[in-house]
Amino acid sequence: MGTPAPAGKLDTLTSLCKRRGFIFQSSEIYGGINGFWDYGPLGCELKNNIKQSWWQTMVRTREDVVGIDATIIMHPAIWKASGHLDTFSDPMCTCKHCKKLMRADQIWEMLEDSELGPALKELHADGQPDVSRISGWCKGRGKGIGPGLAAVHNPDAVLAAVGPRLANTTFREFMILLASEKPDAPVQPCPHCGGELTEPRPFNLMFKTIVGPVEDPTNIAYLRPETAQAIFVQFQNVLATSRQSVPFGIAQMGKSFRNEVTPRNYTFRSREFEQMELEFFIRPDEAIELLYGRVVTLADNPDLATPQDNWGWQVWHKYWVEQRLAWYRRVGLPDASLVQYWQEPAELAHYARACVDIQYAFPFGVQELEGIAARSDFDLTQHQKHSGKSMEVFDEPLKLAAAKLDETARTAFTDKVVADWATRGKSADDARAFVAKLFDGRFIPHVIEPSAGADRMALALLCNAYVEEQVTDEKGKTETRTVMRFSPLVAPIKVAVFPLVKNKPELYAKAREIFGQMQRRCACFWDESGAIGRRYRRMDEAGTPFCVTIDFQTLEDGTVTLRNRDTMKQERLSVAALKEKLEEVLL
Amino acid sequence: MGTPAPAGKLDTLTSLCKRRGFIFQSSEIYGGINGFWDYGPLGCELKNNIKQSWWQTMVRTREDVVGIDATIIMHPAIWKASGHLDTFSDPMCTCKHCKKLMRADQIWEMLEDSELGPALKELHADGQPDVSRISGWCKGRGKGIGPGLAAVHNPDAVLAAVGPRLANTTFREFMILLASEKPDAPVQPCPHCGGELTEPRPFNLMFKTIVGPVEDPTNIAYLRPETAQAIFVQFQNVLATSRQSVPFGIAQMGKSFRNEVTPRNYTFRSREFEQMELEFFIRPDEAIELLYGRVVTLADNPDLATPQDNWGWQVWHKYWVEQRLAWYRRVGLPDASLVQYWQEPAELAHYARACVDIQYAFPFGVQELEGIAARSDFDLTQHQKHSGKSMEVFDEPLKLAAAKLDETARTAFTDKVVADWATRGKSADDARAFVAKLFDGRFIPHVIEPSAGADRMALALLCNAYVEEQVTDEKGKTETRTVMRFSPLVAPIKVAVFPLVKNKPELYAKAREIFGQMQRRCACFWDESGAIGRRYRRMDEAGTPFCVTIDFQTLEDGTVTLRNRDTMKQERLSVAALKEKLEEVLL
């Protein structure tokens, strides 16, 4: 469980982000546009570094993952197949009196802020949330109900994060209580005027547009609400061209759009955001059993360091959770700030086998950075049904393994699968058809989906990096130092180069020469104005891990001063040693 | 003038692109969606390398340019200010008989393909295009009329590229001729049925959507048709936070969207595409004159290698043309394939001082890769007007320089500016107000805009790289080798590593070790199956510049075989020498 950051931290952070050019409000000079944020010069480099590190880790240094880059606007049939067209919606109510439109699942929160709040709070002050009933309420709404209910998914984390900041009871406890008592009741009264509200109606979160010159319903298309679906629809093309076979993954980074009714928490819940998604395709457990006699599960306590052919979905899922946690730690989030939330079976979407949220303790609460879901063969099966195109793969070793079974063994295997599928509510006919395909070496791959948000990661890194500390200078004067403690891997600027003085041509030229060498390798910043101490402070705020000063001694012995952002310690070393040191940290 | 590639080349290229995973049709399993293309595993790396090289060249290794990353959906007032809402449209006609909708400026082309074509061609077979009248016709339509008229901008290049492939006359000559004879006549008859067409009506090319839950005209927003405008609206935020001062630039890469009526030429004219744009802000020439006594122009034949403070806009514009050409050459387009097209004064938009198109000889014609425009202070001025927020900068040295002028000198300077502005049709009042600001050290910066397309560059590199050649093997057998001659800088895979055999554990382990070392540094591919010759061919098609084979000698002396894709020559060298060689080529 992470330690929640202090509540006030977000204000000082957003102010620094604006002042130093990490994040600006989109279209600010026109009054802004709610739910859209731009990255300034430093923020843009930070986010690029996050994306590059993700790509390097998930694609370039893996032989079993390849990337794609698909369009944001795709054929609308994709969203029918994926379920987004029918269920990717928030419930909305309108007030019959004041005509205001609001999200049904946020009305209690609005009520708490309204003049009705104190009375309502009083009424439920001694109520206790009933987690299992909430889970039931959420069940099946899964991804479909929209992110507004994310808090309800994880009431423990919510209470731990929010509880200490509020007296007596909180609106979330209140919302949870109400939800558990009246799971399907329309919410009342209107938080704006106390009037009567309509029944909630679904509001689809996909942005709509028209492709082509004819404004006709047949030409409606959508901005993708996730990057994942492009991976599924291009699965066969990638399989055919990339010399990969299951198990393997397809990764994609890119913008996604959700027409959130209530964007909030700075950049956390935006209408336009960037995802980094992997779909890792695996054999169904039944294929593993045919191939290797049995399926390795977590009960076998397998070594998760190196993937094995006989792993079942459960081990692959856990493997990806560990891989992803390792990445979050490597790019700089401390273990203590990360929360793993394993969804309860009742919370899972009907097709999902397991889902873990990796959460971070933001100043506004513990919130999701990434979801890692075992989605079975749901997505590929849906696209096979809707497109009429086969999503099966042919697995030669599987066919050979099946051919070795005699009739008795085949029957026993089939009966076992039928019985197993029955426990998941699937028909014997479906199970038999699946096994028949399997014996022929054919199946639709299952998938593990680690789905992360680049902007959320940027925000988490900004929150985590921000430190104000009291430092005492040589003269004994104490001042507040604001420092962004980014890991060198993601820091927008890696090295700042300072000439000690600018009016000594030889020293200045030497500094320029060293700067030129550095600049070919990594993002560098040149600063020649002001006292060295002030230049350090500016780089502290930008989160630059290393400052290099060229002084008179450099001209004599070729050494420079390297100052470490976090320890503020300085050391002298040769330019060659400096390059090695940087390569070590940055590669 | 580039040599046009053979017409049939595009077909073989698109087939390779699909087969090797460079480019797939978007949503292919659902029948595709016209004007949208996805990048497969190799294409995605190619495009990423193009973008990274652009960013490295334009931002990271320059101290006078910083980057931003803004949203695709911005405040709709931006597109009113920029002019896109009013003029970013194509003229559309509807047939009164068959009700079909078509682009007015493409009707002649469609006619040529219709059964009416031969007769119409006969009628105009001896007509000659009148370039100056065409220029007049295009004048003022500039960016506003949509890309369909790009061909008409440059009839010479079009004729040179297309002429040789068509007998007698071409539809383009025909279109040009018709255009010159009837500049404003509605086009007739309908190419589909011969029916009567309506007058052309403007069809705006911006994709529309609704932000927020209320479907109301006040909530209409647009997908950006260019990335440039975000740079202008965030100009003051960036200036205030980045420690830059004019002259400096702001760069952005990202998706843009244009609802093209007729997407075509493979990925060239797509509805969703990625731009790489720089807005480089400079002082107006009048400020240069005040500061340095005179303005350096191209007539001074300045050295363009290193920017100078006293350059006027004309030199800055030429500087960026040269910088951009150098980049195209560096990432692999031969000089002979690039065309510089300097727009005629009559072709320029009213605010533009100059515009150069950098064009490439695609198999379907010589077409634009990038436009480099000197846009004066038009964009910032528009946003100042529409937002009410100042877009001026304060220039201390300018104020000091102006303060040194006596009253006579001031009057002389003012008179000169008034006279100069009058030649461009601007009022004396405006000129005086401008000069008064200038004396106070204030002005709205002018801008040079190099605006490139990442997808167009990817397509140009694919076209340029594709070579089929006859090679003879050791046994004297001749075969066709398909090779993608990408520059190592942009090649999707830099190095392939092959163990000579896979059944010798020691050799295999050594090869894995070397692969592991390479993989940390660059995009690598492991291939252990098939004869080495076949593995080379596979990498030739992927465009991998270097293949490294680990054999028995490697175990003895640590050397490997490095095979060069283009020369097919092999050399033995140590692993350390290999790393150095790669670093040299790739950094």
Side-chain angles (χ1 to χ4, degrees), chain A residues 80-246:
Chain A
K80 181 69 185 169
S82 70
H84 285 84
L85 205 48
D86 295 327
T87 64
F88 191 64
S89 55
D90 277 340
M92 301 285 296
C93 295
T94 312
C95 174
K96 293 177 181 174
H97 181 68
C98 72
K99 309 295 178 202
K100 286 213 168 77
L101 198 65
M102 62 211 86
R103 248 174 72 177
D105 57 326
Q106 290 179 348
I107 287 170
W108 296 110
E109 187 174 330
M110 294 161 73
L111 279 171
E112 215 243 8
D113 292 337
S114 78
E115 54 179 322
L116 303 166
L120 286 167
K121 259 188 275 181
E122 188 67 27
L123 193 64
H124 290 274
D126 57 348
Q128 290 301 315
D130 178 338
V131 177
S132 68
R133 294 189 63 190
I134 304 299
S135 297
W137 190 54
C138 295
K139 188 189 165 183
R141 289 178 168 88
K143 275 192 162 179
I145 196 107
L149 283 175
V152 186
H153 281 283
N154 191 1
D156 282 347
V158 168
L159 293 180
V162 183
R165 302 211 307 272
L166 293 167
N168 294 321
T169 186
T170 74
F171 65 82
R172 282 190 177 77
E173 284 174 291
F174 175 72
M175 182 178 78
I176 288 163
L177 180 69
L178 267 283
S180 66
E181 285 179 347
K182 316 187 197 171
D184 290 312
V187 283
Q188 300 239 33
C190 171
H192 301 291
C193 72
E196 192 190 344
L197 296 173
T198 61
E199 291 280 316
R201 269 189 298 258
F203 165 69
N204 197 292
L205 295 179
M206 290 195 293
F207 283 101
K208 248 190 271 188
T209 192
I210 298 275
V211 174
V214 185
E215 288 223 15
D216 185 290
T218 60
N219 292 331
I220 289 175
Y222 303 91
L223 306 192
R224 66 180 175 204
E226 59 173 45
T227 57
Q229 295 302 321
I231 295 176
F232 296 124
V233 302
Q234 293 292 11
F235 170 73
Q236 291 289 15
N237 269 336
V238 174
L239 182 69
T241 60
S242 63
R243 295 177 62 79
Q244 294 283 352
S245 59
V246 175

Side-chain angles (χ1 to χ4, degrees), chain A residues 55 60 67 69, chain B residues 13 16-17 21-23 39-54 267 276 327 331-332 454-465 484-494 523 542-543 565:
Chain A
W55 195 258
R60 286 231 174 128
D69 183 8
Chain B
L13 178 69
L16 176 116
C17 283
F22 281 100
I23 297 173
Y39 291 86
L42 290 181
C44 168
E45 296 294 334
L46 173 68
K47 193 171 149 186
N48 282 346
N49 291 340
I50 291 168
K51 285 162 60 183
Q52 274 182 32
S53 168
W54 188 87
T267 62
M276 307 183 293
W327 182 76
V331 295
D455 306 274
R456 290 181 173 193
M457 184 54 178
L459 184 57
L461 286 171
L462 284 164
C463 289
N464 180 70
M484 298 298 286
R485 293 187 188 269
F486 295 121
S487 139
L489 267 179
V490 295
I493 304 166
K494 312 299 186 192
R565 176 196 64 202

Side-chain angles (χ1 to χ4, degrees), chain A residues 242-549:
Chain A
S242 63
R243 295 177 62 79
Q244 294 283 352
S245 59
V246 175
F248 82 104
I250 306 175
Q252 182 172 219
M253 304 188 297
K255 286 273 177 90
S256 292
F257 295 79
R258 295 181 186 177
N259 197 359
E260 297 287 351
V261 178
T262 322
R264 56 182 165 168
N265 290 335
Y266 199 25
T267 62
F268 183 81
R269 190 169 308 291
S270 299
R271 285 170 166 158
E272 178 176 337
F273 54 99
E274 192 137 10
Q275 291 185 301
M276 308 182 292
E277 296 197 302
L278 168 68
E279 302 299 328
F280 195 83
F281 299 97
I282 57 174
R283 292 173 168 131
D285 279 7
E286 294 85 347
I288 301 291
E289 190 169 338
L290 275 181
L291 277 161
Y292 305 104
R294 66 181 292 275
V295 176
V296 174
T297 69
L298 289 179
D300 297 306
N301 199 22
D303 174 8
L304 293 173
T306 315
Q308 300 298 328
D309 289 339
N310 56 2
W311 281 3
W313 72 264
Q314 203 191 28
V315 183
W316 274 114
H317 180 247
K318 178 77 175 167
Y319 165 81
W320 279 111
V321 174
E322 293 304 319
Q323 289 288 313
R324 297 300 304 138
L325 283 167
W327 181 75
Y328 284 103
R329 289 188 289 255
R330 191 159 65 250
V331 294
L333 295 185
D335 217 19
S337 70
L338 295 167
V339 180
Q340 263 186 63
Y341 175 71
W342 288 73
Q343 291 186 14
E344 299 291 328
E347 292 172 79
L348 293 171
H350 67 92
Y351 49 81
R353 299 280 176 88
C355 188
V356 175
D357 292 343
I358 296 179
Q359 304 175 324
Y360 174 78
F362 286 98
F364 44 81
V366 175
Q367 296 272 4
E368 183 184 349
L369 289 174
E370 168 157 356
I372 301 159
R375 296 175 62 83
S376 75
D377 61 357
F378 175 75
D379 307 276
L380 288 180
T381 302
Q382 285 296 107
H383 287 297
Q384 175 168 298
K385 269 188 210 154
H386 285 256
S387 72
K389 300 287 192 303
S390 169
M391 289 294 163
E392 289 172 5
V393 298
F394 175 64
D395 189 336
E396 178 89 36
L398 177 63
K399 189 176 181 178
L400 296 175
K404 287 186 193 148
L405 298 184
D406 61 20
E407 208 46 47
T408 319
R410 286 183 164 229
T411 309
F413 182 83
T414 308
D415 291 347
K416 191 179 162 194
V417 172
V418 168
D420 181 43
W421 279 39
T423 65
R424 296 205 304 276
K426 294 194 170 186
S427 80
D429 283 355
D430 286 353
R432 279 177 212 285
F434 167 76
V435 173
K437 290 264 191 192
L438 221 51
F439 287 161
D440 198 32
R442 293 181 189 282
F443 58 83
I444 293 178
H446 285 225
V447 73
I448 309 292
E449 176 189 88
S451 166
D455 307 274
R456 289 182 175 193
M457 184 54 178
L459 183 57
L461 287 172
L462 285 163
C463 288
N464 180 70
Y466 187 91
V467 173
E468 285 175 16
E469 57 181 28
Q470 298 302 312
V471 290
T472 311
D473 67 11
E474 316 88 72
K475 295 170 195 153
K477 214 183 102 193
T478 300
E479 60 164 1
T480 301
R481 179 173 91 118
T482 300
V483 53
M484 298 299 284
R485 293 187 187 270
F486 295 121
S487 139
L489 267 179
V490 295
I493 303 166
K494 313 298 187 192
V495 183
V497 178
F498 307 151
L500 182 66
V501 293
K502 54 178 169 178
N503 55 2
K504 299 287 175 194
E506 205 188 340
L507 187 151
Y508 193 86
K510 184 73 189 164
R512 289 300 299 175
E513 180 198 324
I514 292 171
F515 176 69
Q517 292 167 12
M518 295 288 142
Q519 206 183 22
R520 286 187 66 203
R521 287 158 195 276
C522 62
C524 288
F525 190 79
W526 172 265
D527 194 350
E528 61 184 44
S529 65
I532 293 288
R534 286 195 53 179
R535 295 187 230 172
Y536 284 156
R537 287 293 177 278
R538 288 198 283 259
M539 285 298 105
D540 288 342
E541 277 195 346
T544 306
F546 306 108
C547 294
V548 173
T549 304

Side-chain angles (χ1 to χ4, degrees), chain A residues 18-21 24-34 36-41 44-45 47-49 51-52 55-56 59-63 66-78 81 92 101 203 207-215 221 223-224 230 232-234 237-238 240-243 255 257 259-261 271-272 274 382-383 386-387 389 391 512 515 519-527 529 538 583 587, chain B residues 18-21 24-34 36-41 44-45 47-49 51-52 55-56 59-63 66-78 81 92 101 203 207-215 221 223-224 230 232-234 237-238 240-243 255 257 259-261 271-272 274 382-383 386-387 389 391 512 515 519-527 529 538 583 587:
Chain A
K18 164 103 202 251
R19 179 163 51 82
R20 291 308 308 251
F24 306 130
Q25 195 182 10
S26 167
S27 317
E28 189 190 301
I29 61 170
Y30 289 99
I33 173 167
N34 194 9
F36 296 89
W37 298 91
D38 292 350
Y39 291 86
C44 170
E45 296 292 336
K47 194 172 149 186
N48 282 346
N49 291 341
K51 285 163 62 184
Q52 275 184 30
W55 195 258
Q56 178 77 2
V59 185
R60 286 231 174 128
T61 56
R62 293 191 70 105
E63 285 159 82
V66 295
I68 66 165
D69 183 8
T71 52
I72 289 167
I73 294 177
M74 302 192 286
H75 196 292
I78 289 169
M92 301 285 296
L101 198 65
F203 165 69
F207 283 101
K208 248 190 271 188
T209 192
I210 298 275
V211 174
V214 185
E215 288 223 15
L223 306 192
R224 66 180 175 204
F232 296 124
V233 302
Q234 293 292 11
N237 269 336
V238 174
T241 60
S242 63
R243 295 177 62 79
K255 286 273 177 90
F257 295 79
N259 197 359
E260 297 287 351
V261 178
R271 285 170 166 158
E272 178 176 337
E274 192 137 10
Q382 285 296 107
H383 287 297
H386 285 256
S387 72
K389 300 287 192 303
M391 289 294 163
R512 289 300 299 175
F515 176 69
Q519 206 183 22
R520 286 187 66 203
R521 287 158 195 276
C522 62
C524 288
F525 190 79
W526 172 265
D527 194 350
S529 65
R538 288 198 283 259
E583 174 137 341
L587 201 71
Chain B
K18 164 101 201 255
R19 179 163 51 82
R20 290 307 309 251
F24 306 130
Q25 194 182 12
S26 169
S27 318
E28 188 189 301
I29 62 169
Y30 290 99
I33 174 166
N34 194 9
F36 296 89
W37 298 91
D38 292 351
Y39 291 86
C44 168
E45 296 294 334
K47 193 171 149 186
N48 282 346
N49 291 340
K51 285 162 60 183
Q52 274 182 32
W55 195 258
Q56 179 76 3
V59 185
R60 286 233 174 125
T61 55
R62 292 191 69 102
E63 286 159 81
V66 295
I68 66 164
D69 182 8
T71 52
I72 289 167
I73 294 177
M74 302 192 287
H75 196 291
I78 289 169
M92 301 286 296
L101 199 65
F203 165 69
F207 283 101
K208 246 190 271 189
T209 192
I210 298 275
V211 174
V214 184
E215 289 222 18
L223 306 193
R224 65 180 176 204
F232 296 124
V233 301
Q234 293 292 11
N237 269 335
V238 173
T241 61
S242 63
R243 296 177 63 78
K255 287 272 176 92
F257 296 79
N259 197 0
E260 297 287 351
V261 177
R271 284 169 167 159
E272 178 175 337
E274 193 136 8
Q382 285 295 105
H383 287 297
H386 285 256
S387 71
K389 301 288 192 304
M391 289 293 163
R512 290 300 301 172
F515 176 69
Q519 207 183 23
R520 286 186 68 202
R521 287 159 196 275
C522 62
C524 288
F525 190 78
W526 171 265
D527 194 351
S529 64
R538 287 197 285 258
E583 173 136 340
L587 201 70

Side-chain angles (χ1 to χ4, degrees), chain B residues 81-339:
Chain B
S82 70
H84 285 84
L85 205 48
D86 295 327
T87 64
F88 190 64
S89 56
D90 276 341
M92 301 286 296
C93 293
T94 311
C95 174
K96 291 177 183 172
H97 181 66
C98 72
K99 309 294 179 203
K100 287 213 168 77
L101 199 65
M102 62 209 86
R103 249 173 72 176
D105 57 328
Q106 289 179 347
I107 286 169
W108 296 110
E109 186 173 333
M110 294 160 73
L111 279 172
E112 215 245 5
D113 292 338
S114 78
E115 54 179 322
L116 302 166
L120 286 167
K121 259 190 276 184
E122 189 65 28
L123 194 66
H124 290 276
D126 58 347
Q128 290 299 317
D130 178 339
V131 177
S132 68
R133 294 189 63 191
I134 304 299
S135 296
W137 188 53
C138 295
K139 188 188 166 184
R141 289 179 169 87
K143 274 194 164 181
I145 194 105
L149 283 176
V152 187
H153 280 282
N154 191 1
D156 282 345
V158 167
L159 292 181
V162 183
R165 302 211 306 273
L166 293 166
N168 293 322
T169 185
T170 72
F171 64 81
R172 282 191 176 79
E173 285 174 291
F174 175 72
M175 181 179 81
I176 287 164
L177 179 70
L178 266 285
S180 67
E181 284 180 346
K182 316 186 194 172
D184 289 312
V187 283
Q188 302 241 31
C190 171
H192 301 290
C193 72
E196 192 191 343
L197 296 172
T198 61
E199 292 279 319
R201 271 190 296 260
F203 165 69
N204 197 290
L205 295 178
M206 290 195 292
F207 283 101
K208 246 190 271 189
T209 192
I210 298 275
V211 174
V214 184
E215 289 222 18
D216 187 290
T218 59
N219 290 332
I220 289 175
Y222 303 91
L223 306 193
R224 65 180 176 204
E226 60 172 46
T227 57
Q229 295 303 321
I231 294 175
F232 296 124
V233 301
Q234 293 292 11
F235 171 74
Q236 290 289 15
N237 269 335
V238 173
L239 181 70
T241 61
S242 63
R243 296 177 63 78
Q244 295 283 352
S245 60
V246 175
F248 81 106
I250 306 176
Q252 182 174 218
M253 304 188 298
K255 287 272 176 92
S256 291
F257 296 79
R258 294 179 188 178
N259 197 0
E260 297 287 351
V261 177
T262 322
R264 56 183 164 170
N265 289 335
Y266 199 26
T267 62
F268 183 82
R269 190 170 307 290
S270 300
R271 284 169 167 159
E272 178 175 337
F273 53 98
E274 193 136 8
Q275 291 185 299
M276 307 183 293
E277 296 196 303
L278 168 69
E279 302 298 330
F280 195 83
F281 299 97
I282 57 175
R283 291 172 169 131
D285 278 6
E286 294 86 347
I288 301 290
E289 189 167 342
L290 274 181
L291 277 160
Y292 305 103
R294 68 180 293 272
V295 176
V296 173
T297 69
L298 289 180
D300 296 306
N301 198 21
D303 173 9
L304 292 174
T306 314
Q308 301 296 330
D309 289 339
N310 56 1
W311 281 3
W313 72 264
Q314 203 191 26
V315 182
W316 274 113
H317 181 246
K318 179 78 175 165
Y319 165 81
W320 279 111
V321 173
E322 293 303 321
Q323 289 288 313
R324 297 301 303 138
L325 283 168
W327 182 76
Y328 284 102
R329 289 188 289 255
R330 192 159 64 249
V331 295
L333 294 185
D335 216 20
S337 69
L338 296 168
V339 180

